[in-house]
Each structure stands twice: as C-alpha cells, then as structure tokens.
Amino acid sequence: MTETTESLDAPAGRAAATQQPLFEAKGVSKAYGHVNALMDVDFEVRPNEVVGLLGDNGAGKSTLIKILSGVVDPDKGTFLRDGAPVDIGSRRKSEAAGIQTIYQDIALVRSMSIMRNIYAGREPLGLLGFMRMREMRETAMKILDEYVRIAGITSPDLLVEELSGGQAQAVAIARAVHFKRDILLLDEPTSALSIRETEKVLTIMRDLAESGVSCVFVTHNLYHAFRVCDRFAIMSHGQNVQSVPKSETTLNELTDVIMTH
Amino acid sequence: MAVSATSDAAQARYKPASWSTRLRQHPAGPVAVVCGGMLLACVIAGLLFPDRFFFLTQGNLSLLLRAIPNFGMVALGVGILMIAGEFDLSVGSVFVAAPFAMAFAFANGVPLPLAILLAFAIAVGVGLINAFITLRFGIPSFITTLGMLFIVRTVAPFVVGYQRSLSFRPPTEFKALLSGNAFGVIPAHFLWFIGLAVISYLLLNRHFLGNHFFAAGGDPRAARFAGVNVNRTKTIAFVLASVFATIAGIFAITRVGTASTNPQLFIELFAVAICVMGGLSLFGGRGSVIGIVLGVTVLQLVQDVIILARLPGFYLDMFVGLMIVVGVVLNQTIRRKY
C-alpha cells in the first residue's frame, strides 16, 4: 500500500457511466412508525467507482446503507445484481450478493477479542463445526498488519474494549476490507479516525475501486468526498435529489445542493 | 491492493497475548484465587488437626467429588446461556420433571433408551418454548423462565396423575456407569461432570457456536451486523441449558434410586450464583467454563467445611449471598478500570 496521496484524484470521465450497474436498488421505501426514512429511493453502484452518498442529517443515508447490508428490511423496493433480481433480506444474503459494510457506529463486540470479532459470523470451519483456530490466528495477524498497522495493537487476542475508538474503527475497516467481494459500503468510516488513519482509508477506497471493488462512501466531509469519489448521489429527507459525476460539478456546487435541500 | 507484509513479518509484530495478560483478562481470575486459597486452608487445617477436621479423609473427599457435579452440571448449561445473554430459571423444574418423566416411562415398560430420549425431548421442548417466548415477544428471559419454572413444576405431576415419587431401578450396568466409582476411588459422576465441562469448553472456545454465544451475549446488535443469527444462537443456548439440567437430573435420580416431582429447592438460583461467583457477567458476553467449575467447587467446599466444623446449615446460604454481592461488585469495579 502506498503512502502517497496525490493519486487520490479520480480519473475524470471514466467509462463507468455507460456500463451496466453492478448493483441497483429501485423504489426503496422504509418508514419507522410515522417517520418516512426513505421514500421511493433509487440508487446504483457502477463497476470500478467510488460513489459518494451525501446529504444532511436525517437524509436517510444510514437507513439505505443498513437496507443494502441486509440488517434492516425495507417496506418496499427491488434489488438487482448485474441486472438480475437478488434477495438481500439478511446479512448473509447481502454478503452473498457481494456486499460488505463498515458501519458508522463501530459494529464490533467490545467484550470479545479482535480475532473473535474479525471472524464473528464467518468462522473458518473444520470438522463438526469447530473453528480452525490456527488459520484464524494467522489470518487475523495478517489482516492487522496489512490494513491497520496502528500503534497499540500488539495482539489479535486484545479485547476490543481495550482499544481506542480509532483503533477499534480501524479493526472494523480491516475486517470489511479483508472480506470484501464486489461492493464495500462505508458509513462515515472516518468519523473516529485520526488524520493519518483517515488518509489511509481514503487511499484504500481509491485502490479498491482500481482493483474492481466499488465503494459507497457516506460522509459529511465534502472535501474527503470530493477527493475520492467518481460520482455523487445526493439525498434529502429520504428522497433522491441528484446523481452527478465528479467531472460535471464542483465542491461549491455540491455544498449548495446539499444546503438548499 | 499492494500486500506490504509477509506472513513472517506479521508473526513478528503481533504476538499472542502473554500469559499474564490472559490471566488479567480472564474472568475467572478472582474465583481461582478464592478456590485455591480455600483448598490450601482446608488441606493445612486437615493436616494440623487430623483428629478433629476430617477434610483429608477418603470419605470426605469422595463426598465432595460427588456433591460438585450435581449443581455443576446445571450451572454449565445456565452459564453457557448466560454468556449468550439470557437467563434460565426453569432449569430447576426441568431438573426434576424431565428425569421424572423418564423414570415414569421406564417404570411403565418403556425401554430405557427410549425413556432417556423422552427426557431429552421434554428438555428440548422447554428450551424451545423459553426461546420462542423470550425472543419472539422481546420479553426478558428472567421473566419467561420464571413463569416456566412454575408451569413445568405444576404440569409435571399433573401429567403423571399426581404421583409424587416413584423408584427408579435401572439395569445395574447403567447405574454403575453413572454413579459407580472409577479406579475404585473416583466417583464416575465427577468424571462425567469433568467430561461435560470439557465439552462445554470446546463448544465455547473452539466451536463457531461458542463464538456466536459470546457475540450474541456481548452485543446482539453488533453480532447481527457481523452476520450472526442472534435468535438462532440464543435458541440453541436455551435448549442447551435445559438439556444440561436434564443430564444432571438423570444422574441425580440414578444415584438416589428415586424420582420425585418435589422441587429441588433453589437449584436454579444456586446455578446462577455459581456462574456469578465464577466471573460470568450477568449482562452476557463474558465468562468461562473454568470459572463455573471453580465456582461450584467453592460452593461445595464451603458446604463441606460447614458440615465438618458442625456449623449451622444456614451459614451456606449466607456465604452464597455474600459471594454473589461481593462478586458482582468486584466484577463491576474491575470492568470500570478498563
């Protein structure tokens, strides 16, 4: 992984727009009681892109991410993977459709070790459902070393509650990046991170897009979004507002769109 | 994505936790100290006053080894469920009712293996009902299983025609296998308990279900987000608690030779007390099998000392009460430090 950041700018005018979307969500609605979190929202992820999912608080970004991850059931909506309908009704099904997620509120079990967290729900199994501990330990160490490399994490046996917020978030990111398939959803991944760690996450997103893993980047930080995203999908009050390629907009324009809706 | 580190480099940077870290992290640390200290004190007292404090006699030690598994087996199941974040108080009734049904069926001509299957079917049934009501309606399992404690207790004698007790006379091989002595001195009952504890350890620490128990108990939401089926995981834990209580009950009626529908006083509460003494968290997600084994050992040691020292029996209840309160307070303060 390179430490340089100047390569973060997305190549303008990439061909992605003409290709078939990797993943599509159509007409997604979700209400919590009387509150309409999402109303007839369309969203798509194209191959080899980082798409910024932007909008103010309450726009429905997190709800959409949770639906795509399979942990929240939508009231309505259809989902297509490579143009074919796909069921993402549970975390497992969503994962089978190629989706990994890094959640806004760190989704690690604090009372468990890093290693047990990394493999929760996807343990490598041997005979009779017993875990292959050796393989888990070795891979956990490799994951920590490749993607995290954060001071203070000395062992995969450390409990998550012994880590700082940033360290824990880094572990959550490392886990998702390691198990990524085709699409990585990042719901405000950098909110708990230091500057250096944030840079690393931005670089990872760019690298992933180049290597064929599309990223959905939810953030309030438009500077970050503008640096890494190829396209911006803007939401407001549970509805679509705009989807615009980076080449056709500016940072000021984006800010205006979000502010005025 | 560039791979920057070889596996060797990773090995050098990230070491497994040192034994001191593991001991400090281990939830059974305090109970290990208490248990070790008490054993040492008992042995010393037994050596100093061999004619007054009969701790080191074969009769006493054998009695101790027979007493430990009774509560111990129930506590293992209750403990696994506690780690998964739920309680089971109905084990007190299942401990009595399922083996009673087995004895009843056996006395009425049902072959023993089928009668045993019947007992486990009842256990699984009660576990599933506990899980369904708790998880489907989002009720605290403390309440659900408190209800089941009373229901199972009253339904059981009703079903078998208000019979209060009946003798259980299994084939001698069966009795020898469950309640005989191994190598002439060690009660088989105790070895079965150790076996069950080893299985529990492997399940919790080496099996994927164990990983899910810890995750579901530690943080159900994070577990679900990671892809753990929390409800299924907890359901399995509910069933295990019932099954372990039934195993304990079968051993009990085999040893005594009589099955009774009279409730065993407070066995469900003693099981919870043992788990708490053993360092299991009342809020789920933390605990160990060794803690449960040490917890039940401490409990029976205290009982043994009370008998040997000819102290009044209520001292035991007082001790258990103190240990629970002190144990929980200690667990809370230790946790706050990190």
Side-chain angles (χ1 to χ4, degrees):
Chain A
M1 195 180 307
T2 58
E3 288 294 312
T4 54
T5 52
E6 64 266 29
S7 65
L8 284 178
D9 276 336
R14 55 176 53 244
T18 58
Q19 295 172 3
Q20 182 180 45
L22 196 57
F23 186 90
E24 284 172 274
K26 287 184 172 168
V28 182
S29 296
K30 173 73 185 176
Y32 293 103
H34 296 296
V35 181
N36 289 314
L38 292 178
M39 285 172 286
D40 206 22
V41 167
D42 297 331
F43 184 68
E44 63 176 42
V45 183
R46 298 168 191 164
N48 292 81
E49 75 167 352
V50 178
V51 51
L53 185 54
L54 310 177
D56 219 332
N57 286 331
K61 307 180 302 275
S62 285
T63 306
L64 182 59
I65 293 293
K66 282 180 181 144
I67 288 173
L68 298 182
S69 318
V71 296
V72 165
D73 284 331
D75 300 332
K76 239 174 59 189
T78 53
F79 304 94
L80 306 175
R81 173 67 214 269
D82 295 323
V86 65
D87 179 8
I88 54 166
S90 75
R91 183 67 207 99
R92 211 168 282 268
K93 287 172 183 165
S94 163
E95 195 162 338
I99 297 174
Q100 277 299 333
T101 311
I102 295 162
Y103 299 97
Q104 174 181 11
D105 26 22
I106 302 155
L108 296 176
V109 180
R110 293 173 51 76
S111 55
M112 290 211 296
S113 72
I114 294 174
M115 183 179 87
R116 279 174 169 264
N117 259 295
I118 286 177
Y119 288 101
R122 53 170 82 88
E123 297 85 356
L125 299 184
L127 196 65
L128 296 172
F130 283 97
M131 301 183 287
R132 294 207 292 270
M133 301 296 285
R134 205 186 160 79
E135 180 186 324
M136 281 170 66
R137 178 171 302 283
E138 279 170 8
T139 316
M141 290 194 233
K142 222 176 89 200
I143 292 172
L144 289 178
D145 214 46
E146 267 180 43
Y147 306 112
V148 189
R149 261 196 197 273
I150 283 180
I153 300 185
T154 53
S155 157
D157 294 319
L158 285 177
L159 300 184
V160 170
E161 65 195 355
E162 295 183 277
L163 306 179
S164 73
Q167 288 173 331
Q169 182 68 317
V171 171
I173 291 171
R175 174 177 69 175
V177 171
H178 179 76
F179 290 106
K180 82 221 173 235
R181 282 256 315 277
D182 309 307
I183 301 168
L184 185 61
L185 312 178
L186 304 96
D187 191 357
E188 299 196 33
T190 56
S191 51
L193 297 187
S194 70
I195 294 171
R196 177 195 291 264
E197 292 156 1
T198 301
E199 282 304 320
K200 187 170 292 166
V201 172
L202 299 182
T203 314
I204 286 174
M205 270 189 272
R206 231 21 281 166
D207 286 351
L208 286 176
E210 304 305 324
S211 68
V213 178
S214 295
C215 296
V216 177
F217 183 29
V218 178
T219 183
H220 280 130
N221 190 321
L222 294 181
Y223 298 96
H224 288 165
F226 208 77
R227 280 180 57 204
V228 295
C229 295
D230 303 299
R231 188 167 62 86
F232 306 96
I234 298 158
M235 293 177 68
S236 175
H237 299 101
Q239 288 172 307
N240 291 105
V241 175
Q242 203 175 25
S243 168
V244 53
K246 179 177 181 171
S247 52
E248 295 170 20
T249 187
T250 64
L251 192 53
N252 286 338
E253 233 179 76
L254 276 180
T255 314
D256 284 345
V257 171
I258 292 169
M259 294 286 282
T260 51
H261 275 87
Chain B
M1 167 135 281
V3 177
S4 64
T6 65
S7 182
D8 284 347
Q11 297 277 8
R13 265 170 62 86
Y14 299 111
K15 294 256 184 299
S18 68
W19 67 267
S20 62
T21 312
R22 286 184 187 202
L23 195 70
R24 182 171 56 79
Q25 274 183 6
H26 206 287
V31 75
V33 173
V34 171
C35 189
M38 283 182 59
L39 260 178
L40 194 67
C42 286
V43 169
I44 291 173
L47 288 173
L48 286 181
F49 312 107
D51 45 351
R52 272 184 291 159
F53 191 71
F54 302 106
F55 184 77
L56 289 173
T57 60
Q58 200 205 320
N60 181 58
L61 291 179
S62 159
L63 201 72
L64 195 58
L65 291 187
R66 276 175 211 282
I68 287 172
N70 206 27
F71 283 176
M73 285 177 170
V74 179
L76 283 174
V78 167
I80 291 173
L81 181 60
M82 252 169 93
I83 287 172
E86 302 289 346
F87 286 104
D88 190 354
L89 297 179
S90 68
V91 288
S93 290
V94 172
F95 174 86
V96 169
F100 186 88
M102 176 185 109
F104 185 79
F106 183 65
N108 287 286
V110 176
L112 188 58
L114 278 183
I116 294 174
L117 268 182
L118 173 70
F120 284 119
I122 291 171
V124 171
V126 172
L128 289 176
I129 293 171
N130 281 337
F132 176 77
I133 296 173
T134 303
L135 302 170
R136 177 71 181 74
F137 301 103
I139 296 168
S141 49
F142 181 82
I143 301 300
T144 314
T145 58
L146 182 64
M148 286 299 281
L149 175 71
F150 286 110
I151 292 170
V152 173
R153 183 164 292 179
T154 41
V155 163
F158 173 75
V159 170
V160 293
Y162 295 106
Q163 208 160 351
R164 271 298 173 193
S165 76
L166 55 94
S167 66
F168 178 58
R169 298 261 171 268
T172 46
E173 308 87 63
F174 182 78
K175 194 172 164 73
L177 194 64
L178 267 62
S179 64
N181 278 332
F183 318 116
V185 281
I186 304 170
H189 197 180
F190 184 74
L191 293 182
W192 283 103
F193 167 62
I194 295 300
L196 207 55
V198 169
I199 290 172
S200 304
Y201 173 83
L202 292 175
L203 182 68
L204 274 176
N205 296 289
R206 295 280 180 270
H207 199 271
F208 83 91
L209 271 176
N211 215 32
H212 290 196
F213 290 151
F214 277 108
D219 188 341
R221 188 163 164 270
R224 195 163 61 87
F225 279 20
V228 173
N229 187 333
V230 172
N231 279 3
R232 198 184 60 190
T233 303
K234 289 191 171 188
T235 302
I236 293 170
F238 271 112
V239 169
L240 280 180
S242 268
V243 165
F244 276 42
T246 302
I247 294 174
I250 291 174
F251 273 92
I253 67 166
T254 304
R255 186 155 71 106
V256 181
T258 311
S260 154
T261 54
N262 290 328
Q264 277 262 341
L265 272 183
F266 299 140
I267 191 166
E268 63 282 341
L269 296 182
F270 273 109
V272 173
I274 287 164
C275 292
V276 173
M277 284 196 267
L280 276 75
S281 166
L282 286 165
F283 309 104
R286 285 164 220 269
S288 64
V289 168
I290 188 74
I292 300 170
V293 173
L294 292 172
V296 68
T297 306
V298 167
L299 182 81
Q300 296 298 348
L301 266 179
V302 172
Q303 174 138 47
D304 196 46
V305 168
I306 286 169
I307 291 169
L308 288 177
R310 299 186 192 82
L311 296 169
F314 64 78
Y315 275 35
L316 178 70
D317 294 355
M318 199 196 279
F319 173 81
V320 171
L322 279 174
M323 278 299 284
I324 293 172
V325 176
V326 173
V328 172
V329 170
L330 268 180
N331 275 350
Q332 281 299 92
T333 36
I334 289 171
R335 185 144 349 123
R336 244 177 252 131
K337 261 170 63 183
Y338 297 109

